[in-house]
Amino acid sequence: MTTPALLPLSGRRIPPLNLGPPSFPHHRATLRLSEKFILLLILSAFITLCFGAFFFLPDSSKHKRFDLGLEDVLIPHVDAGKGAKHSGIFLIHGPDEHRHREEEERLRNKIRADHEKALEEAKEKLKKSREEIRAEIQTEKNKVVQEMKIREKKPLPAVPIPNLIGTHGGDPEDNDLREKREKIKEMMKHAWDNYRIYGWGHNELRPIARKGHSTNIFGTSQMGATIVDALDTLYIMGLHDEFRDGQKWIENNLDFSVIFKIKAVQLAEKLLPAFNTPTGIPWAMVNLKSGVGRNWGWASAGSSILAEFGTLHMEFVHLSYLTGNPIYYKKVMHIRKLLQKMDRPNGLYPNYLNPRTGRWGQYHTSVGGLGDSFYEYLLKAWLMSDKTDHEARKMYDDAVEAIEKHLIRKSRGGLTFIGEWKNGHLEKKMGHLACFAGGMFVLGADGSRMDKAGHYLELGAEIARTCHESYDRTALKLGPESFKFDGAVEAVAVRQAEKYYILRPEVIETYWYLWRFTHDPRYREWGWEAALAIEKYCRVSGGFSGVKDVYSSTPTHDDVQQSFFLAETLKYLYLLFSGDDLLPLDHWVFNTEAHPLPVLHLANTTLSRNPAVR
């Protein structure tokens, strides 16, 4: 029996910990405790899958109306039979609030009772022989596989497909810019070609050892994460042969158990069981085979993480748009509604939320790791809706005001930084991951409250300058994972464990947004400095590797070529030296992993019935 695949949900990546699932050896006569526990979870999960839908997917005949006000904009073509519609809005009816709550509580009790019953049945099953248990589990798995095959045969509905603008071009007129852009393209080809030779099909590459690499953040080693992450970068750069190689691998090998659009739907369906919690806040990870979810043990007593459950909105709304199925939209809107109702200390969103109790975990707020992309997605939900999702914009503006008041400070040396709030205390430390916020503030300047566009352009520029200083004050001219602002120490890492650089994109991302909105040449200059440093210190014969100490002139490599290096770092560098007509920001919104999604201008769509649309 092999270990099932666990796939984490979204969010900017934090350093992985070695918390992989237990293995199942073949040659032991008895089941060890961890194996019994896994079996109990699997059997319990079947009950959750059977009965959870009654609570987690609202029954339109038994619930109150939630007037979300977005469906006629985001998913206007959804079959009315999947949810009553009125003036383009889904209606979820019910006699009154009290009856609604009674029904919810009754369903919760039923789910709890069914779980207890399933556990008792599981205990009885575990008294059977190992072979009998395996046979029963295999029977259940076969049933699930057959059900999925039946669903896969159903064609996806015809939907309005946005007319895609600016997917090619961007050729600069200046010879120097053309040479720089071609150099970035060559770096991409070096990274891809070596992955193609030494790590094909694996999630990532170990460029020095010249073999595939995987961490438990991807679940299994054969998910082809680099291929999936790199495809749009290859396409944008005009590397079409390489793109077709990756496309073919996905079609033939990426087993969600089919063309890109269908695979996206299949993956989303396999992620849906993660939402089967008492609150609807999803688990951080879900087993793609069994549907069993769990959270990281280190995350404030098993809480869900804000940057993960808050970084699903763009993808799930787009899936509802493409498929005509509102279930994905409803899942993420439920998260938003729940967060709106909760008290927030000082208006800030803590990084941890318990999916069982609906209460915040440790009071730790960060615009860097654990929290970052939640704020980004509030803004980008508004942008992707063609600026009609006013609820998302309000949540973003409220959050930014709280961040400015409680987290943003200026150092003695005049550097603006974003600290972290921990249990009533501001820690004067900023992470590399938080450097994306400079670009976010600039992107959100237009449409800000009280006509503060100029203020947010300036704030974004100040964050970009601070992050550039974190690069410039190292021996390698590459930024550390995090840096302090204590006393005489400014924009410098203090602890050895924070001095590494793992090919992260956030600083270059902010340079690109600042360039697009200001055309100040310093951002291209800073971007080129970073590109040269990556080329000099991170390039090895087998690809690109992170370094363990950016303050050492003779760095040691970590021997990992991260998939996001191809998806984000090189893409943002390429765009930085391209014209604004390549992926123009009034037509495209980039998700947290730099994958572009189209702004849903309803007048700019065509109805496609072509099953090959991808």
Side-chain angles (χ1 to χ4, degrees):
M1 181 185 294
T2 58
T3 305
L6 280 167
L7 188 70
L9 299 184
S10 191
R12 292 178 183 268
R13 296 181 204 165
I14 57 177
L17 298 177
N18 186 18
L19 296 172
S23 61
F24 289 75
H26 287 273
H27 305 295
R28 290 218 308 271
T30 60
L31 293 170
R32 67 187 185 189
L33 182 60
S34 59
E35 293 171 334
K36 293 182 179 180
F37 179 69
I38 296 263
L39 289 170
L40 286 169
L41 286 178
I42 292 171
L43 293 167
S44 177
F46 283 114
I47 302 300
T48 302
L49 292 171
C50 291
F51 295 102
F54 292 107
F55 173 62
F56 300 112
L57 306 182
D59 184 337
S60 62
S61 67
K62 297 179 180 178
H63 289 70
K64 70 174 184 177
R65 167 179 172 168
F66 290 93
D67 188 347
L68 304 180
L70 299 177
E71 292 81 349
D72 55 340
V73 176
L74 296 178
I75 43 177
H77 53 279
V78 172
D79 184 358
K82 295 182 180 179
K85 290 191 76 174
H86 176 70
S87 301
I89 297 173
F90 285 101
L91 304 181
I92 305 177
H93 300 285
D96 52 44
E97 180 71 15
H98 178 70
R99 182 175 175 185
H100 166 65
R101 289 178 178 173
E102 284 185 343
E103 181 67 16
E104 283 191 350
E105 184 60 29
R106 188 158 50 248
L107 289 168
R108 282 195 190 96
N109 292 336
K110 178 175 177 55
I111 291 171
R112 292 191 190 101
D114 288 331
H115 269 294
E116 292 175 2
K117 180 180 177 181
L119 289 172
E120 289 300 321
E121 291 176 353
K123 290 177 183 177
E124 292 299 318
K125 289 180 182 295
L126 288 175
K127 295 178 182 179
K128 299 179 180 181
S129 69
R130 185 178 182 180
E131 289 71 22
E132 289 174 318
I133 293 173
R134 282 183 168 176
E136 290 186 8
I137 292 175
Q138 189 59 49
T139 299
E140 294 296 335
K141 287 170 65 177
N142 291 340
K143 288 181 181 178
V144 173
V145 170
Q146 290 303 316
E147 290 172 0
M148 289 192 64
K149 286 182 177 179
I150 293 173
R151 288 201 302 270
E152 288 167 6
K153 293 179 181 179
K154 297 180 180 178
L156 293 176
V159 299
I161 300 298
N163 296 325
L164 304 182
I165 296 172
T167 58
H168 299 87
D171 298 324
E173 297 180 1
D174 181 83
N175 286 333
D176 180 61
L177 288 178
R178 277 202 300 271
E179 290 177 5
K180 288 175 178 175
R181 194 170 88 142
E182 282 301 308
K183 178 57 184 176
I184 303 303
K185 184 174 179 179
E186 185 277 330
M187 293 169 69
M188 177 68 181
K189 197 167 188 328
H190 179 70
W192 175 264
D193 287 348
N194 278 284
Y195 170 77
R196 182 73 175 83
I197 296 169
Y198 302 115
W200 193 241
H202 288 269
N203 289 322
E204 292 173 321
L205 171 67
R206 293 185 62 187
I208 297 174
R210 299 192 178 190
K211 63 181 182 180
H213 171 74
S214 182
T215 64
N216 64 331
I217 195 170
F218 292 112
T220 71
S221 63
Q222 296 289 333
M223 294 285 286
T226 291
I227 301 174
V228 176
D229 251 355
L231 273 185
D232 54 8
T233 306
L234 294 169
Y235 188 85
I236 292 164
M237 291 184 177
L239 296 171
H240 297 306
D241 289 341
E242 291 82 355
F243 174 85
R244 281 188 286 271
D245 285 344
Q247 179 187 38
K248 183 179 294 185
W249 186 90
I250 288 175
E251 291 177 356
N252 295 334
N253 298 284
L254 190 56
D255 183 16
F256 297 138
S257 293
V258 122
I259 61 186
F260 296 157
K261 179 176 168 183
I262 294 176
K263 283 189 178 290
V265 173
Q266 289 181 341
L267 176 58
E269 288 181 351
K270 287 177 175 288
L271 293 178
L272 286 178
F275 293 83
N276 291 351
T277 67
T279 61
I281 296 294
W283 300 111
M285 294 169 286
V286 63
N287 186 301
L288 296 183
K289 293 182 180 179
S290 68
V292 175
R294 67 177 176 91
N295 280 341
W296 302 102
W298 52 263
S300 189
S303 292
S304 295
I305 297 171
L306 182 67
E308 294 186 339
F309 68 78
T311 310
L312 301 168
H313 192 97
M314 292 175 64
E315 293 81 2
F316 273 44
V317 165
H318 197 68
L319 272 173
S320 282
Y321 182 90
L322 288 176
T323 64
N325 187 344
I327 187 172
Y328 314 113
Y329 172 84
K330 289 180 179 180
K331 292 294 187 184
V332 291
M333 287 306 299
H334 175 80
I335 294 173
R336 181 190 289 184
K337 293 296 184 183
L338 186 148
L339 291 175
Q340 284 181 314
K341 295 176 183 177
M342 297 186 66
D343 292 330
R344 297 184 294 279
N346 295 320
L348 299 169
Y349 291 87
N351 290 338
Y352 303 107
L353 180 61
N354 191 304
R356 298 182 182 88
T357 66
R359 297 188 180 122
W360 297 117
Q362 176 188 358
Y363 277 10
H364 174 204
T365 297
S366 169
V367 182
L370 305 177
D372 47 12
S373 46
F374 166 72
Y375 306 101
E376 173 189 1
Y377 269 40
L378 293 176
L379 172 63
K380 290 181 176 179
W382 176 69
L383 292 170
M384 195 173 82
S385 72
D386 202 12
K387 301 181 180 180
T388 62
D389 187 350
H390 303 297
E391 184 178 70
R393 178 75 212 206
K394 180 182 183 303
M395 291 178 70
Y396 170 77
D397 288 335
D398 290 345
V400 167
E401 288 179 3
I403 288 167
E404 276 204 87
K405 182 177 180 180
H406 298 287
L407 302 184
I408 295 181
R409 296 290 185 270
K410 192 176 287 285
S411 72
R412 293 179 182 177
L415 295 177
T416 300
F417 67 94
I418 310 174
E420 298 188 10
W421 191 267
K422 288 187 178 181
N423 297 317
H425 171 71
L426 182 67
E427 185 176 6
K428 296 179 179 180
K429 179 178 77 171
M430 184 173 176
H432 194 291
L433 288 165
C435 285
F436 91 98
M440 179 181 73
F441 292 140
V442 171
L443 185 62
D446 182 32
S448 57
R449 289 174 180 166
M450 298 180 288
D451 195 24
K452 295 176 68 175
H455 166 73
Y456 286 113
L457 282 170
E458 183 179 351
L459 179 58
E462 290 177 356
I463 296 297
R465 174 174 168 255
T466 297
C467 294
H468 176 258
E469 286 297 314
S470 77
Y471 274 51
D472 201 45
R473 298 181 184 190
T474 70
L476 306 187
K477 304 303 180 184
L478 293 170
E481 182 69 5
S482 61
F483 38 95
K484 294 273 192 176
F485 295 87
D486 284 339
V489 176
E490 293 195 0
V492 174
V494 176
R495 297 173 60 239
Q496 186 62 40
E498 297 173 340
K499 294 181 179 180
Y500 60 89
Y501 173 72
I502 56 172
L503 307 173
R504 286 203 186 277
E506 290 78 20
V507 174
I508 296 167
E509 175 184 354
T510 277
Y511 293 165
W512 176 63
Y513 279 112
L514 264 294
W515 164 255
R516 276 286 176 102
F517 283 93
T518 70
H519 280 198
D520 186 328
R522 80 178 72 182
Y523 300 113
R524 277 180 164 168
E525 292 170 8
W526 291 353
W528 187 241
E529 289 174 6
L532 290 178
I534 291 170
E535 173 75 4
K536 182 175 182 179
Y537 295 108
C538 299
R539 183 168 182 148
V540 295
S541 60
F544 288 87
S545 168
V547 293
K548 295 182 179 180
D549 188 347
V550 294
Y551 299 97
S552 170
S553 58
T554 55
T556 303
H557 292 102
D558 65 12
D559 196 19
V560 179
Q561 180 176 283
Q562 305 276 353
S563 75
F564 57 68
F565 177 65
L566 292 81
E568 303 181 68
T569 310
L570 292 175
K571 182 186 285 122
Y572 284 128
L573 280 170
Y574 188 78
L575 291 172
L576 183 61
F577 299 106
S578 299
D580 293 356
D581 58 329
L582 181 59
L583 298 176
L585 289 175
D586 54 345
H587 289 280
W588 296 94
V589 181
F590 288 75
N591 78 352
T592 191
E593 297 289 326
H595 301 303
L597 292 171
V599 174
L600 299 176
H601 303 287
L602 291 186
N604 186 32
T605 60
T606 56
L607 187 66
S608 173
R609 297 183 180 277
N610 183 355
V613 170
R614 299 177 181 184

